[in-house]
Amino acid sequence: MVAAFFDVDGTLTETNVLMPLIWLQRENLPRHRYWLWLCKLICHLPIYLVADQIDRSIFVTLFFRQYAGIPSEKARQWFWENFENSLKPRVYNDALREIQWHCERNHQIVLVTGGADFTVAPLARWLSADLLAAKLEEVDGKFTGRLVGKPLIGVGKADAIKTYAGEKGIDLQASYAYGDSVSDAPMLECVGNPVAVNPDRKLRRLAMERGWRIVQWR
């Protein structure tokens, strides 16, 4: 069986990991509290940027602390109810055409993201895709801001893909993977058909060195 593994933020969609939380807070916090929260988030951005440069998994671990105290079921419900107006319009049309190409060949579509699972679940269902995503710890109906397990970043994504392939009988050498960041390189290296999508500078250089396909999606 052949699979097509898609990173989400920046590859499949014109989004980043911060956007879902900003949407959620903007819609659910009173206006004055939202602006106070946003100011605090902006103050943390330099720390996040430095962490991202050192190791993206550190950045993701730090950023998910922003979810601490948010009611988990309410958050899940919001993303399901608002998918049509939030995430769906940000899916690249070129990505949809590529997914259609895979579906016509009966390839299994799999979304692989370091983002929180509940923010991407509606997209996975819309695309009839399996989902490999980060999970946040919950206590007493609220997120603690801590991850369950390791971040799905870098080698974490590659390990998740290999485990999934073993469970589902996927032929990785015949399969495809799509990513936009050099942090996706371990995922791309897992398959026989890696594709660099709107790649950052480091991934573009690596893709050119290794002869990987490079595409620009809009």
Side-chain angles (χ1 to χ4, degrees):
M1 186 175 180
V2 174
F5 299 95
F6 289 83
D7 168 59
V8 177
D9 291 323
T11 300
L12 190 58
T13 63
E14 191 176 10
T15 58
N16 59 55
V17 72
L18 279 70
M19 292 171 72
L21 179 59
I22 292 173
W23 299 337
L24 180 67
Q25 297 290 62
R26 184 177 59 204
E27 292 297 320
N28 289 285
L29 288 177
R31 187 175 180 84
H32 70 284
R33 286 188 58 198
Y34 168 71
W35 285 110
L36 286 172
W37 172 84
L38 186 61
C39 288
K40 290 173 66 176
L41 178 66
I42 291 171
C43 289
H44 281 88
L45 287 181
I47 298 172
Y48 294 153
L49 290 172
V50 171
D52 191 37
Q53 290 297 314
I54 296 172
D55 186 332
R56 182 155 292 183
S57 63
I58 297 175
F59 156 64
V60 169
T61 301
L62 290 174
F63 173 71
F64 278 137
R65 292 179 183 174
Q66 293 284 341
Y67 281 90
I70 293 177
S72 53
E73 192 55 40
K74 185 177 181 180
R76 287 191 181 88
Q77 183 178 355
W78 189 90
F79 283 103
W80 282 108
E81 292 177 349
N82 292 274
F83 170 67
E84 293 285 338
N85 299 317
S86 57
L87 187 55
K88 184 178 177 181
R90 292 172 169 81
V91 178
Y92 290 124
N93 289 327
D94 292 329
L96 293 177
R97 282 189 282 270
E98 192 81 359
I99 288 173
Q100 181 61 35
W101 183 87
H102 284 292
C103 290
E104 290 170 354
R105 288 154 181 79
N106 294 317
H107 297 169
Q108 177 62 53
I109 307 302
V110 186
L111 308 188
V112 189
T113 177
D117 57 353
F118 59 91
T119 69
V120 189
L123 176 63
R125 186 177 70 173
W126 181 57
L127 296 173
S128 299
D130 285 346
L131 176 61
L132 305 177
K135 296 183 183 299
L136 298 187
E137 181 184 68
E138 300 174 44
V139 174
D140 296 330
K142 294 182 179 181
F143 293 120
T144 67
R146 293 188 291 269
L147 281 168
V148 176
K150 296 180 180 179
L152 251 66
I153 301 293
V155 175
K157 279 188 179 180
D159 290 343
I161 286 174
K162 290 174 183 176
T163 298
Y164 175 91
E167 293 173 348
K168 301 291 185 178
I170 301 296
D171 180 355
L172 287 178
Q173 190 55 38
S175 293
Y176 299 73
Y178 300 79
D180 71 299
S181 167
V182 71
S183 68
D184 293 323
M187 176 179 79
L188 299 179
E189 290 168 344
C190 284
V191 300
N193 300 286
V195 184
V197 180
N198 302 344
D200 61 22
R201 180 175 53 84
K202 291 182 180 179
L203 180 58
R204 179 177 292 276
R205 183 169 64 244
L206 181 63
M208 292 178 67
E209 290 173 355
R210 300 192 180 182
W212 294 349
R213 179 182 164 206
I214 300 174
V215 297
Q216 295 295 132
W217 284 353
R218 295 291 182 267

